[in-house]
Amino acid sequence: MSQLADLLAHLVEIGGSDLHLKPGSPPHVRVDGQLRAAPFEPVGPGVVEAVASEVLDAQHLDELERTGQTGSALSVPQVGRFRVAVHRQRGSLAMVVRRVPPEIPVLDELGLPAQVARFADESRGLVLVTGPSGSGKTTTVAALIDHINRTRACHVLTIEDPIEVLHHDVMSIVTQREIGSDTSTYADALRNGLRQDADVIFVGELSDADTARQALRAAEVGHLVLSTLRASTTTEAITRLIELFPSDEQDSIRQSLVSVLRGVACQRLLERSDGGGRVVVAEVLVVTSKVVDVLAQDNRAGELERVIADGQYHGMQSLDQALVERVQAGLVSVPDAIAASSTPEDLRIALSHAGFPG
């Protein structure tokens, strides 16, 4: 554990987000989105196995043995809190440790559009925070929960795998349950959550039909449900959510989603043009009557991007609009913006019109 603690202390010292351990290679760290070798000796045979046996409890070790992968939370005194992912590769173990921010950021400090904070003020419905892996979804959700905790007297129930950010009661009561140790599955915890007088429920990820069905039901009966999805765009996130279900259920699920969805924040982290860290870029969907008309029919998903781009009055913005704004502010370079866009040619035209030819 002392060897891992030294590596994690180095990760924190340099402001890194992830530590990679793989036998035969030196430890690698990710800093501002870039992966690089750390100044330590290569990881020897059996080292990851030894570290895993120290940091994982019996239940997670059993899961690792059965499935070849597992994940858990880890607290290192005087260093910080981390999320550990261990997996088997080529007959040995490898490990990725992600740093959890030591302090919960205030929503206003994240650089997200103001509309995202308004999602936390909803009394009921479904709010999704989406984006690819490493896009800051955990930080955004933590800030939303913290905002609710500090501004509303309610019961917040979180269901996580694992628990990453710890929340202490302020105005709200915050109950945090971990998959594996406190409950068996997201879906089971959601079913029970309906009987636990929860006002706000955070579900770590909508990754299967049973979990998504229970989350929609919780939103339908009057809870505010927050959750995440891994998707690059808002349209992709909504499509993926519906496609979790068998084809014969998708029409009814679509109608349920239309009735409860309140908004989507789809975000990415880009390197700052001045090299001073990373900056968030977010696409924001607010559910309006026009959005409902589009979402209610499965053949109109392609129209959603235009509706978002035209919905600035309601607090919406497309990813390309957000990228243009970041370029104009001098925060993101033109090449990085184009690389991040889902429609790079359209973005080139928009940047050119704004005086930034690609």
Side-chain angles (χ1 to χ4, degrees), residues 234-242 257 261 264 285 295 304:
T234 299
T235 301
E236 181 184 328
I238 291 172
T239 300
R240 282 192 177 184
L241 177 56
I242 294 171
L257 179 62
L261 187 65
V264 180
L285 168 73
L295 293 182
L304 193 57

Side-chain angles (χ1 to χ4, degrees), residues 208-266:
D208 61 84
D210 201 10
T211 300
R213 184 180 292 107
Q214 295 302 322
L216 291 171
R217 182 185 173 215
E220 286 173 335
V221 298
H223 303 272
L224 174 60
V225 179
L226 310 176
S227 194
T228 72
L229 273 171
R230 297 184 187 183
S232 297
T233 67
T234 299
T235 301
E236 181 184 328
I238 291 172
T239 300
R240 282 192 177 184
L241 177 56
I242 294 171
E243 290 181 349
L244 289 174
F245 296 87
S247 57
D248 60 348
E249 287 187 59
Q250 289 180 7
D251 284 343
S252 63
I253 291 299
R254 182 184 302 278
Q255 299 312 311
S256 294
L257 179 62
V258 165
S259 70
V260 301
L261 187 65
R262 295 294 179 267
V264 180
C266 186

Side-chain angles (χ1 to χ4, degrees), residues 314-325:
H314 298 283
M316 291 189 255
Q317 69 176 19
S318 69
L319 179 62
D320 279 1
Q321 287 171 334
L323 288 167
V324 169
E325 186 275 329

Side-chain angles (χ1 to χ4, degrees), residues 29-301:
V29 292
R30 190 177 295 278
V31 182
D32 293 337
Q34 303 300 314
L35 197 63
R36 66 193 194 202
F40 291 86
E41 293 295 319
V43 178
V47 168
V48 179
E49 283 80 355
V51 170
S53 67
E54 290 185 53
V55 303
L56 298 177
D57 59 24
Q59 184 171 342
H60 286 99
L61 286 171
D62 178 66
E63 181 182 27
L64 178 62
E65 179 66 26
R66 288 185 293 103
T67 68
Q69 57 199 8
T70 191
S72 182
L74 171 67
S75 291
V76 180
Q78 313 304 318
V79 180
R81 189 166 174 84
F82 304 87
R83 181 175 70 198
V84 179
V86 187
H87 56 276
R88 189 168 297 283
Q89 61 92 39
R90 295 176 60 185
S92 63
L93 293 183
M95 178 182 292
V96 179
V97 186
R98 172 161 292 179
R99 183 188 181 199
V100 175
E103 297 181 357
I104 304 172
V106 177
L107 270 172
D108 292 343
E109 298 174 350
L110 294 181
L112 290 163
Q115 177 59 45
V116 177
R118 298 186 194 112
F119 289 150
D121 296 326
E122 294 282 352
S123 59
R124 63 187 64 192
L126 175 66
V127 173
L128 298 175
V129 178
T130 73
S133 180
S135 60
K137 297 187 295 294
T138 297
T139 301
T140 296
V141 168
L144 287 169
I145 293 173
D146 185 66
H147 175 82
I148 293 169
N149 188 18
R150 294 181 182 279
T151 58
R152 293 163 59 178
C154 63
H155 180 202
V156 181
L157 170 64
T158 78
I159 308 164
E160 305 173 65
D161 184 20
I163 293 172
E164 297 183 59
V165 178
L166 301 178
H167 295 272
H168 304 288
D169 297 351
V170 185
M171 284 190 67
S172 298
I173 296 173
V174 184
T175 301
Q176 295 186 261
R177 305 190 70 197
E178 183 167 288
I179 302 299
S181 57
D182 300 318
T183 184
S184 56
T185 66
Y186 284 124
D188 284 344
L190 274 165
R191 291 187 191 95
N192 285 286
L194 300 182
R195 298 191 291 269
Q196 292 165 5
D197 192 34
D199 301 287
V200 179
I201 303 175
F202 166 56
V203 189
E205 185 174 11
L206 299 182
S207 57
D208 61 84
D210 201 10
T211 300
R213 184 180 292 107
Q214 295 302 322
L216 291 171
R217 182 185 173 215
E220 286 173 335
V221 298
H223 303 272
L224 174 60
V225 179
L226 310 176
S227 194
T228 72
L229 273 171
R230 297 184 187 183
S232 297
T233 67
T234 299
T235 301
E236 181 184 328
I238 291 172
T239 300
R240 282 192 177 184
L241 177 56
I242 294 171
E243 290 181 349
L244 289 174
F245 296 87
S247 57
D248 60 348
E249 287 187 59
Q250 289 180 7
D251 284 343
S252 63
I253 291 299
R254 182 184 302 278
Q255 299 312 311
S256 294
L257 179 62
V258 165
S259 70
V260 301
L261 187 65
R262 295 294 179 267
V264 180
C266 186
Q267 60 186 60
R268 302 185 187 189
L269 289 176
L270 275 65
E271 186 175 355
R272 289 177 61 104
S273 56
D274 61 6
R278 291 191 288 176
V279 62
V280 67
V281 178
E283 181 172 77
V284 180
L285 168 73
V286 179
V287 177
T288 63
S289 58
K290 185 174 289 188
V291 171
V292 168
D293 288 343
V294 170
L295 293 182
Q297 302 176 50
D298 63 1
N299 62 348
R300 297 184 63 187

